[in-house]
Amino acid sequence: MKLVHLSDLHLGKIVSGFSMVADQQYILKQIEEIIEAERPDAVLLAGDLYDKSVPSAEAVRMLDHFLTWLAERRITTIAISGNHDSAVRTAFASAILAQEGIHMAPVYDGHIEPILLQDAYGEVAIYSLPYIKPIHVRQAFPEEEAGDYDQALRVAVSHIPLSGARRNVLLTHQFITGASRADSEEMAVGGLDQVDGEVFAAFDYVAAGHLHRPQNLQNGRIRYCGTPLKYSFSEERDAKSVTVVELGEKGDRRVRTVPLSPLHDMRTLRGSYHDLMRPASYQGAGQEDYLRIVLTDEEEILNGFGRLQTAYPNLMKLEYDNRRTRAQDRGEEVPAGKDKRPSEWFAALYEKQNGEPMRPAQEALLKGLIEEIWEEKE
């Protein structure tokens, strides 16, 4: 039994003001080509299909195109909602879609029926457990204790009708203890959303979603396939891929990956403004990548973000690494500069916080306010 495991498409996502729609269309085309080549028995989508619970029209069109493509090829597809999705919206028309082999998990009510697939070794039961919170489990099973995420998932899994004789696969969208997060993920305060991996011990393979970094837990029995694209600079060294799972007879599981190549990569450049603005630095391969630039200049560059964008059009973030920022990181008090006027300090702060320089009208307003303040002091 061959399964393609995907998750966290986050269709419609915007990163640092940049729409990812073109990147997502590009990567979905690659995923389609991989599916065409692999010819899997099923495709598993482990949540966060969209980036928002009320997705954009473009995001809806992308998912519609992808699911239609899968249905036309008679590829069984099983999808769950994640914490970014609206479970009600993703379950819309699920009965009709199921007739075409597209199985969208219903809103969780405690009752989970598997999708049954057959191969030479017998049945494979695929269970869909969408993203749930303790309150969802308490509503379904009010007589049972589900005070935190771990307890809630234990209760939810205990009510899944498993057969030990067949191979059991679970789609879930939770944070499983021991996994590594990326900056682009939503985090619960104090790690309250963590679930012990032993909760899923009865399953032969757990197709997990929620975490953006690809990784295995428990020798690959639990797998986060990760996002198909990089959505934060904490992921810039991650290798994005499609996960392919092959199940033989019970206990025989092989997991491999097929690499993905993005339309725009994501990387960090570091150096002085003067060096980075040399044509030799920004011309050539990689100029179109999404960038974070870390300037090492001791003085902030006036309108640095805008000026760097002329050479690096896909600049997402501008940061500084110098004596002042290192002192701030250590919690030391940074003495006020005597070589800059108050308006210059304010303009630099504005640009650092907003990623763009002040507009002329804002500069004029600031100048007027500063003059009024000085007049009142005199």
Side-chain angles (χ1 to χ4, degrees):
M1 180 71 61
K2 183 187 287 188
L3 309 171
V4 164
H5 172 196
L6 301 165
S7 78
D8 296 270
L9 303 179
H10 285 278
L11 298 178
K13 190 172 184 64
I14 296 174
V15 180
S16 298
F18 286 75
S19 169
M20 295 288 107
V21 167
D23 300 78
Q24 291 171 336
Q25 290 172 334
Y26 183 88
I27 213 69
L28 281 175
K29 180 64 176 176
Q30 272 191 53
I31 291 171
E32 289 172 0
E33 292 170 356
I34 291 169
I35 292 171
E36 196 87 75
E38 292 288 342
R39 302 180 64 83
D41 297 285
V43 170
L44 312 179
L45 299 173
D48 279 357
L49 309 177
Y50 297 120
D51 191 56
K52 297 181 182 299
S53 59
V54 182
S56 66
E58 290 173 317
V60 173
R61 282 194 292 269
M62 278 192 285
L63 185 61
D64 175 70
H65 172 86
F66 186 47
L67 295 180
T68 300
W69 184 90
L70 291 165
E72 288 173 346
R73 284 152 184 80
R74 302 297 178 191
I75 300 172
T76 299
T77 301
I78 305 167
I80 62 173
S81 56
N83 58 303
H84 281 255
D85 299 312
S86 162
V88 174
R89 288 187 174 88
T90 57
F92 175 75
S94 57
I96 297 173
L97 289 171
Q99 296 174 19
E100 299 299 321
I102 308 297
H103 303 273
M104 308 297 288
V107 176
Y108 179 76
D109 62 0
H111 182 70
I112 299 175
E113 285 295 329
I115 306 300
L116 297 177
L117 303 178
Q118 188 85 25
D119 68 3
Y121 299 102
E123 283 186 334
V124 174
I126 303 179
Y127 296 87
S128 297
L129 181 59
Y131 177 75
I132 54 174
K133 298 180 179 180
I135 189 172
H136 301 141
V137 177
R138 291 196 293 269
Q139 289 169 348
F141 305 103
E143 71 285 357
E144 301 204 38
E145 185 176 357
D148 58 25
Y149 279 81
D150 188 79
Q151 289 178 336
L153 267 294
R154 289 180 189 278
V155 171
V157 169
S158 72
H159 286 273
I160 294 177
L162 293 175
S163 168
R166 62 192 180 194
R167 292 157 293 169
N168 297 299
V169 175
L170 177 70
L171 272 76
T172 189
H173 192 93
Q174 304 289 159
F175 176 34
I176 301 171
T177 303
S180 173
R181 293 186 186 267
D183 290 346
S184 52
E185 298 151 16
E186 290 185 356
M187 302 183 186
V189 176
L192 297 177
D193 56 348
Q194 294 189 29
V195 178
D196 193 318
E198 290 304 315
V199 170
F200 310 110
F203 294 93
D204 298 277
Y205 181 73
V206 177
H210 190 36
L211 301 190
H212 292 185
R213 181 163 288 133
Q215 55 198 293
N216 292 332
L217 299 174
Q218 299 188 2
N219 296 318
R221 190 178 60 81
I222 300 173
R223 165 108 179 137
Y224 284 103
C225 62
T227 55
L229 290 170
K230 300 172 185 179
Y231 290 135
S232 75
F233 288 96
S234 66
E235 302 168 64
E236 64 179 287
R237 292 184 176 84
D238 293 347
K240 299 300 183 176
S241 62
V242 170
T243 293
V244 180
V245 186
E246 296 182 75
L247 300 176
E249 59 185 344
K250 192 170 179 66
D252 179 16
R253 177 190 63 253
R254 285 159 290 175
V255 179
R256 57 186 171 85
T257 59
V258 181
L260 291 168
S261 299
L263 180 63
H264 303 98
D265 204 356
M266 186 173 279
R267 60 195 177 96
T268 297
L269 294 180
R270 179 185 176 87
S272 69
Y273 174 81
H274 176 74
D275 287 342
L276 291 174
M277 288 300 287
R278 290 175 177 170
S281 297
Y282 62 80
Q283 291 179 350
Q287 184 184 5
E288 299 301 317
D289 289 346
Y290 293 127
L291 296 176
R292 172 178 62 182
I293 288 181
V294 180
L295 290 180
T296 55
D297 302 82
E298 289 300 327
E299 295 298 326
E300 293 198 9
I301 306 300
L302 183 63
N303 190 23
F305 193 95
R307 292 161 74 179
L308 284 163
Q309 270 192 319
T310 62
Y312 303 97
N314 289 334
L315 175 61
M316 284 186 166
K317 287 187 175 183
L318 174 60
E319 300 173 3
Y320 283 84
D321 182 15
N322 51 33
R323 287 194 297 269
R324 177 181 57 79
T325 59
R326 288 192 290 272
Q328 288 176 334
D329 291 341
R330 293 192 298 268
E332 299 173 5
E333 185 176 350
V334 181
K338 297 181 180 179
D339 55 341
K340 283 189 179 183
R341 296 188 298 273
S343 60
E344 292 175 320
W345 280 112
F346 189 94
L349 176 62
Y350 180 93
E351 183 173 340
K352 184 176 180 64
Q353 291 186 331
N354 295 280
E356 60 182 17
M358 296 176 66
R359 297 188 295 274
Q362 293 172 313
E363 291 176 348
L365 176 61
L366 174 62
K367 181 180 178 182
L369 290 172
I370 290 174
E371 288 176 352
E372 288 180 12
I373 292 170
W374 285 118
E375 285 175 2
E376 289 176 2
K377 284 188 173 183
E378 289 176 353

